[in-house]
Amino acid sequence: MSDPTGNPAPQRPKPTELANAAAEDARRRRLGLPPMPRRRRDRGRAVRLALRWFAVVGAFVAVAFLGTTAWAYLTGVIGPPRGDDKEVARVLSLAGDTPAWADPEQIRCAAQAVVEDERSTGLARAGVVAKTGSGFSYTGDWPSALGSQWYAELLRCADGGANSWSRQVAKAWTLDDPRCLREVGRPAIAGVLAVTNLRLADEELAAKNVAATTALDTCYARTPEAPSGAAAAGYREVTLKVTAPTVAAGIASLDDGTAQPTSGEDPELTYIIPVAKGGAEACVQATTKVTYAWGTVRTGEPAELCGKAAAARMEWRKIERSCPKGKPKCTYMAAYVEGLSDNQKLKVTYRPTGDFKCAGKKPTCSLEIKADGNGKARTPGQLVTGKKGKLVASAGSLKATLSGS
């Protein structure tokens, strides 16, 4: 019989040895001497043998483990990407569909993680990358599962703690609070990001996202308020500045139907609207629309925002005209009218008092004028020599008074 190391086991005492030992014990008893000390069993030897056995087995296991690990490292199964894997990780980092809110180190981390899981061969087989000569190119086509994995790794690689990914997405999606994102969960949000940002080769993930988008809608989507407007009156035109309300989540914009803004960008647009004549009203019908990053749109009630153009007006103005004989110094005045419709005809009546007189000393005199293409007209020049009194010109609601000098 051998021990675990192969050494022979200790042999039992021979019969002659046992007889000699018994005779020696009897002799000692006759002489009154103490018995011979008993031979004790060497238990330490068994322990030493067991330890040697474990050491030998452990050495074999360690050598096998180190050999397997070295093979895995050299072939790229473990360790940093090398060869084609390294090139594909670089392609995903630089040419892939990477969100603007992710920092470069985060993107590199996600690319390496996906490549470590799928290898370059798996990503090429899935159609995400294609072999081109000695390298690889990015195709932009993702199977749903891989697209979701890509964004899951991007979120996992966010720097700043376990909840940093939710704060990062909330900022990118213009959400006021990231807590609902954490309730929906990182895998589900990764799926939503993949559907909304990648070109997926199948519809599998879109169907799974219904529960996530419903939860996001419940938490964040709201019907917005109507936009507000500020009007400024111009000459035969109205300037309307339309502003969407501030929203807590999503991006607000204005839907103005067929109107065309003159300037500005959402959520504030400016319209300069021409009108036919002074004092006319112009309106824009606008609706607030809020678009959420996961595709949901909420539209408010339409609002009609109006303003009026500057009113038409009449005023006396001095004009240059040759003086009659005998009056080397004279003054001619004309009643100017602005804000009329194009080519509009208007009857103007003079009512003089004091030193001002109408021809033929009539109490009133009238004449007809016609507006040009800009809605402007004037009466013929009126020689004025009065020192006292006044001359009132009127046409409908328009009136201008010339007082004596």
Side-chain angles (χ1 to χ4, degrees):
M1 180 178 179
S2 300
D3 64 12
T5 64
N7 295 324
Q11 299 295 322
R12 294 183 178 183
K14 296 179 179 180
T16 54
E17 292 177 348
L18 293 175
N20 292 335
E24 179 64 22
D25 285 339
R27 187 182 71 80
R28 285 177 172 271
R29 283 196 297 271
R30 286 194 306 270
L31 298 174
L33 297 175
M36 289 179 65
R38 296 291 182 183
R39 185 178 181 182
R40 294 182 181 179
R41 188 177 179 182
D42 188 0
R43 298 187 179 184
R45 178 180 178 81
V47 173
R48 288 193 297 272
L49 292 175
L51 290 176
R52 288 177 187 171
W53 186 84
F54 281 118
V56 171
V57 173
F60 278 114
V61 171
V63 170
F65 175 77
L66 291 174
T68 304
T69 302
W71 174 85
Y73 184 87
L74 292 174
T75 57
V77 175
I78 62 173
R82 290 177 298 281
D84 285 353
D85 291 345
K86 184 176 182 180
E87 172 63 14
V88 170
R90 187 189 69 83
V91 168
L92 288 181
S93 299
L94 300 178
D97 289 304
T98 55
W101 43 263
D103 60 73
E105 184 57 38
Q106 180 179 358
I107 295 170
R108 283 193 294 271
C109 169
Q112 289 183 4
V114 171
V115 171
E116 286 174 4
D117 287 343
E118 304 297 329
R119 318 312 302 182
S120 58
T121 54
L123 291 170
R125 188 167 51 250
V128 178
V129 296
K131 187 74 174 176
T132 54
S134 61
F136 290 85
S137 63
Y138 176 69
T139 67
D141 295 324
W142 290 82
S144 287
L146 268 180
S148 181
Q149 181 184 351
W150 168 242
Y151 268 100
E153 294 295 347
L154 278 169
L155 297 182
R156 182 188 64 80
C157 290
D159 186 24
N163 294 327
S164 60
W165 70 268
S166 61
R167 294 191 294 270
Q168 194 176 44
V169 174
K171 183 178 180 180
W173 283 1
T174 63
L175 305 177
D176 59 340
D177 193 334
R179 283 178 295 181
C180 281
L181 295 176
R182 295 195 288 271
E183 292 175 3
V184 175
R186 188 170 66 189
I189 297 301
V192 174
L193 286 165
V195 169
T196 54
N197 293 284
L198 297 178
R199 188 170 67 234
L200 300 180
D202 56 78
E203 299 293 332
E204 179 184 350
L205 192 58
K208 293 181 180 179
N209 276 352
V210 172
T213 55
T214 300
L216 291 170
D217 288 346
T218 301
C219 191
Y220 296 111
R222 301 289 183 270
T223 300
E225 298 178 355
S228 58
Y235 180 74
R236 295 205 312 175
E237 68 181 22
V238 179
T239 299
L240 284 170
K241 183 178 289 186
V242 181
T243 306
T246 301
V247 295
I251 298 176
S253 61
L254 295 169
D255 184 359
D256 55 14
T258 59
Q260 295 296 322
T262 307
S263 61
E265 296 181 359
D266 281 327
E268 184 177 274
L269 299 175
T270 299
Y271 303 81
I272 298 178
I273 307 171
V275 295
K277 60 181 180 180
E281 186 178 61
C283 300
V284 170
Q285 191 173 70
T287 306
T288 304
K289 182 172 66 175
V290 180
T291 304
Y292 298 91
W294 52 93
T296 296
V297 177
R298 289 286 186 268
T299 303
E301 293 294 326
E304 189 172 57
L305 308 168
C306 301
K308 289 185 176 182
R313 64 177 183 173
M314 176 188 288
E315 63 181 2
W316 288 100
R317 296 181 190 172
K318 185 177 180 180
I319 63 172
E320 296 295 331
R321 185 173 171 180
S322 299
C323 293
K325 292 181 179 180
K327 294 184 178 180
K329 293 183 180 181
C330 65
T331 302
Y332 281 90
M333 300 293 290
Y336 276 77
V337 184
E338 296 180 346
L340 303 176
S341 301
D342 292 351
N343 303 315
Q344 179 182 347
K345 293 181 179 180
L346 194 68
K347 183 179 180 180
V348 179
T349 301
Y350 291 158
R351 289 181 175 81
T353 61
D355 293 339
F356 294 91
K357 305 294 181 182
C358 282
K361 297 183 179 181
K362 294 180 180 180
T364 62
C365 49
S366 60
L367 51 109
E368 189 175 78
I369 58 176
K370 182 181 178 181
D372 59 16
N374 292 319
K376 298 179 180 181
R378 73 174 180 85
T379 61
Q382 175 76 26
L383 177 64
V384 293
T385 57
K387 301 295 183 182
K388 296 179 181 179
K390 58 186 178 181
L391 180 61
V392 178
S394 61
S397 62
L398 302 176
K399 184 182 290 187
T401 301
L402 178 63
S403 299
S405 57

